[in-house]
Amino acid sequence: MKEKQNLLNLNQKALDAFFKELGEKSFRSKQLMKWIYKDHVFDFDKMLNLSKNLRETLKDIACIDFPTIVSKNHALDGVVKWIIDMGNENNIETVYIPEKDRGTLCISSQVGCALACTFCSTGYQGFNRNLSTAEIMAQVLIANLHLKASGRHVSNVVFMGMGEPMLNEEAVYNVCDLLLDDWAFGLSRRKVTISSSGVVPALERMSERVPVSLAISLHAATDDLRDELVPINKKYPIKELMRACKVYLNAGTQERHILFEYVMLKGVNDSANHAQQLARLLKNMSAKVNLIPFNSFAESDYQVSSVKTIEAFQNILFSQGIRTMTRRTRGEDVDAACGQLAGKVLDKTKRSDARRN
């Protein structure tokens, strides 16, 4: 028996093609998207502006399937973390961060991560597989369904959860299409952010494919240090990464900026000299730096820089004309802070075993 098509896998263009094959007009895509993403109706029988014959056909060949929620944890500061079952002993994590004027959802794009950044808990878990469009999209729907009762909703989405989004391009692009689509979530391009450690060829493709915001997980301004912290730098060194960033900044017709993320590690990358190196690297670039106090986890020997050190680092960047902010740690009491997401990963790379030995 042919497997049913999970309609959460399809953006509007793909839905148009799906309904065309059924002999239906393209407006059916918009009707279906409204039911799913606006009204949160997932039962075809309740989609009453679809003909009865179409509803019966959809029940035979299609589905709207969600993964199972393993647990939901509430932090003292209002952060919510969902652990979601992806089958075969794999879990991912999704985090909602409430602010006064917005609600940001941090979503995962892979089960684990293959990049093995040394300061990130996800990297220690190893890698299993990419998530499908439906599995990523379900994270946003799960959050909105939970928030509905409190009158809140997801206003911003960041691909900063488990995984490297630019190693799962097509699924991530499809999700971005739906997040920006007025018939789905209708978010503005500035409210959707892809964070990448620097997969250069994919970043160049992304510049033309989706007009969303870009964050670069940088953490060092020289190749020697970045090779140690972010191993993909050995394949795509900083010079190539900066070239790809300029491609992004010059793409499209609307003004673009890049957020550079920089985790503050005591005695590793937090000196005045490191700050000067970073200022020189980003000079004359439309950029903003987000300094992130390191969030500890069991396997790591790193320590967070002191508040005084972070302030001094920030002041040096300010003095060089670099826009800078320091991220406030959120959700730490439920291991939902930046760099702490670990989930449960059946590691196909065996990297996690090697690192523990």
Side-chain angles (χ1 to χ4, degrees):
M1 184 177 178
K2 187 177 179 181
E3 186 177 351
K4 291 184 177 183
Q5 171 67 263
N6 189 345
L7 298 182
L8 297 184
N9 274 314
L10 307 181
N11 60 14
Q12 186 175 158
K13 183 178 179 181
L15 275 173
D16 286 347
F18 173 81
F19 280 115
K20 185 177 180 180
E21 283 190 13
L22 297 180
E24 297 284 342
K25 300 292 186 183
S26 60
F27 72 83
R28 294 298 189 193
S29 299
K30 298 181 179 65
Q31 289 179 320
L32 185 84
M33 290 171 71
K34 183 177 182 298
W35 282 117
I36 295 172
Y37 300 110
K38 301 289 189 187
D39 302 328
H40 298 148
V41 171
F42 311 114
D43 181 347
F44 295 126
D45 282 330
K46 295 180 180 179
M47 299 179 182
L48 298 180
N49 58 352
L50 305 183
S51 70
K52 185 176 180 180
N53 285 341
L54 177 56
R55 297 199 304 267
E56 292 299 320
T57 298
L58 290 176
K59 285 192 290 184
D60 287 339
I61 67 171
C63 61
I64 302 169
D65 278 353
F66 286 71
T68 302
I69 299 171
V70 176
S71 65
K72 180 173 65 180
N73 302 300
H74 293 260
L76 295 174
D77 59 7
V79 167
V80 183
K81 182 176 79 169
W82 291 269
I83 298 177
I84 302 172
D85 185 2
M86 290 296 159
N88 299 317
E89 299 182 54
N90 291 302
N91 295 338
I92 61 162
E93 300 185 359
T94 303
V95 175
Y96 175 73
I97 307 165
E99 301 282 355
K100 184 177 180 181
D101 58 345
R102 66 184 183 274
T104 300
L105 190 70
C106 180
I107 60 176
S108 297
S109 55
Q110 296 180 312
V111 179
C113 185
L115 296 191
C117 296
T118 58
F119 53 85
C120 179
S121 182
T122 306
Y124 274 79
Q125 307 309 304
F127 172 77
N128 186 270
R129 65 176 177 87
N130 285 333
L131 296 179
S132 68
T133 299
E135 289 169 331
I136 303 173
M137 200 72 261
Q139 296 172 62
V140 188
L141 286 168
I142 285 168
N144 269 338
L145 286 168
H146 167 82
L147 296 167
K148 199 172 184 178
S150 62
R152 303 203 65 160
H153 67 282
V154 173
S155 66
N156 297 63
V157 175
V158 293
F159 288 84
M160 294 181 184
M162 295 173 65
E164 165 55 58
M166 291 292 89
L167 291 178
N168 189 12
E169 284 183 78
E170 285 309 310
V172 167
Y173 296 157
N174 288 338
V175 171
C176 287
D177 290 339
L178 288 164
L179 292 173
L180 301 181
D181 196 312
D182 286 341
W183 290 95
F185 293 94
L187 302 182
S188 76
R189 65 185 185 89
R190 291 185 179 276
K191 293 187 176 182
V192 179
T193 302
I194 291 175
S195 176
S196 174
S197 294
V199 185
V200 167
L203 288 173
E204 292 173 344
R205 291 188 290 268
M206 173 240 174
S207 298
E208 297 294 340
R209 174 64 174 79
V210 286
V212 299
S213 298
L214 175 63
I216 295 295
S217 190
L218 187 61
H219 313 300
T222 62
D223 283 325
D224 286 347
L225 182 53
R226 196 165 191 266
D227 284 352
E228 176 187 336
L229 298 177
V230 188
I232 197 174
N233 195 74
K234 297 172 186 176
K235 186 172 184 178
Y236 304 115
I238 289 175
K239 185 176 180 180
E240 290 187 33
L241 176 57
M242 291 299 109
R243 177 179 54 77
C245 287
K246 288 173 182 175
V247 169
Y248 168 83
L249 289 171
N250 293 323
T253 57
Q254 296 172 303
E255 186 179 12
R256 295 184 175 194
H257 310 277
I258 297 175
L259 179 66
F260 287 92
E261 297 164 306
Y262 195 99
V263 66
M264 297 296 292
L265 302 169
K266 182 179 179 180
V268 176
N269 66 348
D270 63 350
S271 70
N273 186 46
H274 290 126
Q276 294 287 358
Q277 291 170 344
L278 182 59
R280 286 194 294 271
L281 179 67
L282 302 182
K283 187 178 180 180
N284 299 322
M285 183 175 282
S286 183
K288 185 176 184 179
V289 173
N290 188 4
L291 301 178
I292 306 170
F294 172 67
N295 295 301
S296 63
F297 56 95
E299 298 88 348
S300 176
D301 294 325
Y302 290 122
Q303 294 179 301
V304 63
S305 305
S306 69
V307 172
K308 185 177 179 180
T309 298
I310 294 173
E311 288 177 351
F313 196 99
Q314 184 172 21
N315 287 336
I316 291 171
L317 295 179
F318 275 142
S319 71
Q320 299 297 315
I322 305 295
R323 293 180 299 157
T324 310
M325 63 180 178
T326 298
R327 182 180 295 177
R328 182 163 63 99
T329 296
R330 301 290 302 275
E332 193 173 17
D333 55 313
V334 292
D335 290 337
C338 182
Q340 288 186 317
L341 301 190
K344 180 183 177 185
V345 179
L346 189 62
D347 180 20
K348 288 186 175 181
T349 67
K350 303 303 180 185
R351 179 181 288 114
S352 56
D353 291 339
R355 295 177 82 161
R356 292 182 184 116
N357 292 331

